[in-house]
Amino acid sequence: MRILIAADMEGVSGVVHWDHVDSQHKEYARFRKLMTGDVNAAIEGAYEGGAEEVIVADGHGNARNILVEELDPRARLNSGSPSPFAMVQGVDTGVDAAMFVGYHARVGSTHAILDHTWSSMCVANVWLNGKPAGEIGWNAAVCGHFGVPVIMISGDQTACAEAVELLGEVQTAVVKQARGRMSAECLPPELSRHKIREAAARAVRGLRAGQAPQALRLEAPIQVTLELVTSDMADRAALLPGATRLEGKRVEITVEDAATAYRAFRSAVALARP
Ligand SMILES: [Zn+2]
């Protein structure tokens, strides 16, 4: 049983502000350590539940956040960017299930720490086949393309609820109660790691018992609709071959499958960036 742990940073224990997740800020050193701690808790839980191999994907920013020297030695780390599958790098290597650790709610959510989708600077909204998709939705769709179900998530209460709504009976570890975009009641890491470990163990046990949620399969062809923050960003995103300009700030592209949709979305956002 191989498990992919896909880690982001905004939903990590204690994180409530951009300063905490910005590698240029002096607070960042504390929070990358906390991120590593949340990931280690998930690794421990996965093995406790019966996993035989765990690979980790560092999915925040430049993907150089997790402290490899502090990583549980049973795991392997995908680090650095760009990589072919970004936040779920390793998903194509024959994993049985994925866990999302430190995840956050999609752009425009209420009571959600640092809610955004891919780029808070560029992305005003994004839809997959007409349905709003945050990073949970995008990465679950890429996992689903490879037949991989998402079985566990940690983050604030809103991120966890978003995952349950989209994926069904996924195991959740709520590590903070968001009261706003930059305010939350946070559990001390000792407690949040305990919750993460337990949720990860339950998830793998459920998977082995044949009770895991289904992999998320999107109906092909897949329509990606992207609303940028400003119209000049849309001017640039619309240069992507195959893209259609809708109104001022929206572009749309239709592709064959979720893995290609992810590439198109990442490319459009990369073009849009000022
Ligand atoms: Zn993110």
Side-chain angles (χ1 to χ4, degrees), residues 142-189:
V142 177
C143 288
H145 173 76
F146 292 98
V148 175
V150 178
I151 58 173
M152 179 267 181
I153 180 168
S154 77
D156 66 23
Q157 82 279 19
T158 309
C160 290
E162 185 181 318
V164 169
E165 196 196 328
L166 184 72
L167 306 168
E169 288 305 302
V170 53
Q171 297 294 329
T172 60
V174 176
V175 303
K176 52 197 168 189
Q177 294 285 339
R179 307 300 186 207
R181 196 179 191 213
M182 297 184 193
S183 155
E185 181 190 288
C186 299
L187 287 176

Side-chain angles (χ1 to χ4, degrees), residues 30-166:
R30 287 176 59 216
F31 289 90
R32 68 190 302 196
K33 209 174 163 70
L34 285 163
M35 180 185 187
T36 309
D38 281 11
V39 167
N40 278 338
I43 296 168
E44 207 180 315
Y47 277 105
E48 224 175 87
E52 288 147 340
E53 207 181 324
V54 173
I55 55 173
V56 176
D58 189 329
H60 176 71
N62 58 18
R64 289 177 293 177
N65 309 282
I66 293 169
L67 296 163
V68 72
E69 61 273 35
E70 291 182 15
L71 191 72
D72 186 318
R74 292 171 292 183
R76 296 294 175 267
L77 177 65
N78 281 304
S79 177
S81 75
S83 61
F85 293 101
M87 296 182 75
V88 287
Q89 177 62 17
V91 69
D92 60 330
T93 61
V95 295
D96 296 288
M99 301 186 188
F100 291 173
V101 170
Y103 265 54
H104 54 83
R106 68 173 183 254
V107 62
S109 301
T110 309
H111 298 152
I113 290 299
L114 306 179
D115 65 286
H116 69 284
T117 301
W118 207 262
S119 161
S120 55
M121 196 205 296
C122 298
V123 178
N125 216 335
V126 56
W127 296 261
L128 273 172
N129 285 347
K131 222 177 131 183
E135 292 174 30
I136 295 168
W138 270 105
N139 291 306
V142 177
C143 288
H145 173 76
F146 292 98
V148 175
V150 178
I151 58 173
M152 179 267 181
I153 180 168
S154 77
D156 66 23
Q157 82 279 19
T158 309
C160 290
E162 185 181 318
V164 169
E165 196 196 328
L166 184 72

